[in-house]
């Protein structure tokens, strides 16, 4: 998965968490968004970025 796809999925999950009908769904989407944020930071480090972007999941 390339960086654009990671950012896209992360943003979709943030939106789903924001619009979730239940607290359980909100927690689930936010948790998955956090996982994608970690993947984004990991890939940035792999690419040699000195200070990875801190992607917020809230």
């Amino acid at each position: 998965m390339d960086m654009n796809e990671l950012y896209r999925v992360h943003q979709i999950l943030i939106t789903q968490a924001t619009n979730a009908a239940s607290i359980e769904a909100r927690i689930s989407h936010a948790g998955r968004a956090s996982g994608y944020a970690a993947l984004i930071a990991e890939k940035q480090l792999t690419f040699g970025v000195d200070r990875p972007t801190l992607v917020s999941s809230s």
Side-chain angles (χ1 to χ4, degrees):
M1 196 177 282
D2 69 10
M3 293 299 289
N4 289 324
E5 182 69 6
L6 289 173
Y7 281 117
R8 185 185 75 78
V9 173
H10 177 262
Q11 188 60 50
I12 289 169
L13 290 167
I14 295 284
T15 302
Q16 288 175 334
T18 301
N19 297 325
S22 69
I23 189 68
E24 293 85 2
R26 187 173 300 125
I27 290 168
S28 176
H29 293 307
R32 290 183 61 213
S34 292
Y36 273 89
L39 285 172
I40 290 167
E42 183 180 313
K43 278 205 172 222
Q44 288 176 334
L45 287 171
T46 300
F47 295 145
V49 175
D50 290 333
R51 296 173 58 190
T53 305
L54 298 177
V55 180
S56 176
S57 295
S58 57

